[in-house]
Structures are given as C-alpha cells and as structure tokens.
Amino acid sequence: MEVQTFPTEIVFFDLETTVPNKVGQYFHILEFGAIIVCPRKLEELESFTTLIQPKDLSVVSIRSSRSDGITRAKVTNAPSFEDVAEKIYGLLNGRIWAGHNIRRFDCIRIKEAFAEIGKAAPEPSGIIDSLGLLSDKFGKRAGNMKMASLAAYFGLGVQKHRSLDDVRMNLEVLKHCATVLFLESTLPNQLEGKWQSSSKIMTRSRSNYQIAQRAMPYSKGSLGKVS
C-alpha cells in the first residue's frame, strides 16, 4: 500500500463488532466509520462508513436488541474487511487518530484485522483517546464517562451504536467539554464546581423535561455537521 501521511489532520473513527460470549471467541468487525476533521476549525472534511461481512456469518446475531442495530441480514451482502482494507488504510495511516476508548479497543481491533489478511496495519501520527482525556480533564461530572452518558449530560441525544453516528457524536461531546473547560479556566473561582451542582437542570429527564429541553445544533434524529 502507498504510504501517505497527514500529520495535521484528525480522523475520528469507530468500530462496531460482535461481542464474544465464550472463551476463545474473537471480536469480529461489523462496521467501520470515520470522519476526517480539520483541527483548526473542527470541520468535517470527509466521511466514510461501511458494513463489513465477517468470514463466519454465524457469529452475527439474527436479531438486534436495538432498533437500528446490525443484524446478520444487514451484513450478508456487505464487503469483507479485505475488500475495504485499502480504503481504511488510506483514511487512517499517518493521521492523528481520535475516538472514545480507542487505545484499549478500536486500535487493537484494527491491527488484528489487518494481521488476519496479511497486510501491514496503518500507523497513527498521534492518538487522542477521549475517554482518557476527558476522565482526566473533565472529571466524573457526567457519570461513568461512557459516550452515552456524556451525550446525555449535554443533551446531544441517544447514542445509536452505529459507527458514523457515534464518531460525529464523539466530536460534538469534545466540543461541549472543551467549551466548559475554557469557561472554567477563564473564571476558575466563580465557575469551577458550579457546573456539577447545576447538572440536573442542564440535562433532560422526564421530571424536568419542560425546563431542560433546548434547541439542538442539528436536526432531530441526525448527528450530521453543526450548522
């Protein structure tokens, strides 16, 4: 594969996989999604997503507990990982990788997938793992720091567990966290600690729906670019 480097571009990516339920089973990639982002303006420059058919279709559930989840029928006619490996390599190699919990999960799965087809894996010019970053900088004010919890904290909707939707949600969460941290650094004595005490007002719940609901930066049900 041709070596390309884009050291100043960030690629947010996410994988949806099977979940092993027995000893000795592996994670099988079912979907890959990525957006390339300009770090100066946080603009989405390019996006790509694809379902992926594993070699053994029996590892994919016939039904999904999620309304838009990935089922065996959805990946039956999807390309194999080898079919899309060159495209994925071109998106990832030489760029800064970003994602939620990617150090412990997505990065490992990508290397495994390339090793399985006997090809060199892409290499990042740097890694931004928002789970570790936000746990350190933002603290536990949003709870367990899962993407779904962070999105709910900022009223960004429900995590869909689909790759392209999730990476766009990841970027929006980082924007919101960065704004809060910037404001806190500007007036630390007045603002630090105050956000946590007001979180019940700022987030949605059935009991305070009329108070908490606010305009979304994108249309309902969509996690596209912010207008």
Side-chain angles (χ1 to χ4, degrees):
M1 294 182 183
E2 183 182 351
V3 177
Q4 294 178 308
T5 58
F6 306 86
T8 61
E9 289 182 346
I10 302 173
V11 54
F12 283 79
F13 75 98
D14 177 71
L15 303 175
E16 294 299 321
T17 71
T18 58
V19 179
N21 52 27
K22 294 180 181 178
V23 177
Q25 287 185 335
Y26 298 94
F27 292 94
H28 298 270
I29 298 176
L30 301 179
E31 188 176 45
F32 172 90
I35 56 173
I36 296 174
V37 174
C38 169
R40 290 175 298 173
K41 298 182 179 181
L42 297 181
E43 287 182 324
E44 182 179 321
L45 304 176
E46 182 182 345
S47 67
F48 174 76
T49 186
T50 180
L51 290 166
I52 295 173
Q53 180 190 136
K55 289 183 178 179
D56 181 6
L57 279 172
S58 68
V59 301
V60 188
S61 300
I62 296 175
R63 298 179 182 84
S64 174
S65 58
R66 302 186 182 103
S67 60
D68 56 352
I70 300 172
T71 62
R72 189 179 302 174
K74 288 185 178 181
V75 298
T76 297
N77 296 315
S80 67
F81 184 82
E82 189 167 11
D83 292 334
V84 295
E86 187 171 356
K87 175 65 175 180
I88 292 174
Y89 185 95
L91 286 167
L92 297 180
N93 192 56
R95 289 188 168 96
I96 300 168
W97 294 5
H100 205 64
N101 197 33
I102 60 170
R103 284 187 182 274
R104 292 190 297 179
F105 189 79
D106 303 79
C107 294
I108 296 171
R109 304 287 87 80
I110 283 290
K111 289 182 178 180
E112 290 174 347
F114 274 91
E116 187 177 0
I117 62 173
K119 295 184 178 180
E123 294 291 340
S125 62
I127 296 178
I128 301 171
D129 191 323
S130 56
L131 176 60
L133 177 66
L134 296 181
S135 295
D136 179 46
K137 302 295 184 181
F138 197 67
K140 298 292 184 180
R141 67 184 86 185
N144 60 18
M145 301 306 289
K146 291 182 178 180
M147 183 54 57
S149 302
L150 288 160
Y153 181 84
F154 288 113
L156 294 175
V158 178
Q159 184 183 10
K160 292 186 176 182
H161 294 282
R162 295 300 300 266
S163 294
L164 195 57
D165 290 313
D166 285 2
V167 291
R168 285 174 172 155
M169 176 176 275
N170 196 170
L171 177 59
E172 291 306 314
V173 163
L174 279 173
K175 287 179 182 179
H176 280 68
C177 289
T179 301
V180 171
L181 292 172
F182 172 76
L183 291 173
E184 289 181 348
S185 68
T186 304
L187 296 169
N189 295 330
Q190 290 92 330
L191 295 181
E192 281 187 3
K194 301 294 178 61
W195 300 98
Q196 296 185 44
S197 62
S198 63
S199 63
K200 290 183 179 179
I201 298 176
M202 297 301 293
T203 56
R204 293 184 182 182
S205 70
R206 292 183 180 180
S207 60
N208 65 358
Y209 184 81
Q210 295 298 327
I211 298 175
Q213 190 174 14
R214 51 188 166 170
M216 305 293 277
Y218 34 75
S219 60
K220 188 174 181 181
S222 170
L223 286 172
K225 286 199 288 187
V226 179
S227 58

